[in-house]
Amino acid sequence: MNKAAILISEAITGKDFIPIIVNGKMYRVNPPTIHKIAGASAYLAVLDDNKDIAGVISSLKDISVASSALSWFIDGSDSLSEELSHGTLEEVLSGLTAAYSLIDVENFMTLLGLAKNVANLTAKQRL
């Protein structure tokens, strides 16, 4: 439960982010929501099929596609894609890798368990 409490505290206080630097500017990437993941995935879906996200990212050669996907992780839209495309492809790909690293199955499962416990405490099931 302590790990779950730390995760929730960091999320509420805004401490659960990673900084990425593209073209000399720092951007803050928070753990992505489903909305952000879906937006980024829309740009990455046009690539060849790969078995994992690392394969997708390493196959990116077009900075406009990569910067649009990264923009979704940063801002929840493609509004930063032009600005991000002025950086190097390596910077943008590194940012995408970092953004996807925030999707942690272990943390998700911990939070899911905590949410289940809260639901059970607040709404007892009738038998």
Side-chain angles (χ1 to χ4, degrees), residues 41-114:
S41 297
Y43 284 96
L44 302 177
V46 299
L47 302 172
D48 293 332
D49 289 335
N50 284 290
K51 295 189 187 238
D52 60 7
I53 195 60
V56 170
I57 292 172
S58 66
S59 71
L60 280 169
K61 304 293 182 227
D62 183 0
I63 194 162
S64 65
V65 171
S67 61
S68 293
L70 182 56
S71 177
W72 271 93
F73 280 112
I74 295 169
D75 190 50
S77 71
D78 57 2
S79 64
L80 295 173
S81 59
E82 177 65 30
E83 184 177 323
L84 293 168
S85 68
H86 294 296
T88 66
L89 183 60
E90 292 77 26
E91 288 174 326
V92 175
L93 295 182
S94 175
L96 275 174
T97 302
Y100 271 105
S101 75
L102 289 171
I103 305 170
D104 184 12
V105 174
E106 183 181 343
N107 290 347
F108 177 77
M109 295 306 289
T110 302
L111 290 173
L112 181 63
L114 182 62

Side-chain angles (χ1 to χ4, degrees), residues 17-22 25-30 94-95 98 102:
F17 72 94
I18 55 170
I20 60 165
I21 297 175
V22 177
K25 184 175 179 183
M26 197 269 303
Y27 298 91
R28 180 182 174 138
V29 178
N30 293 310
S94 175
L102 289 171

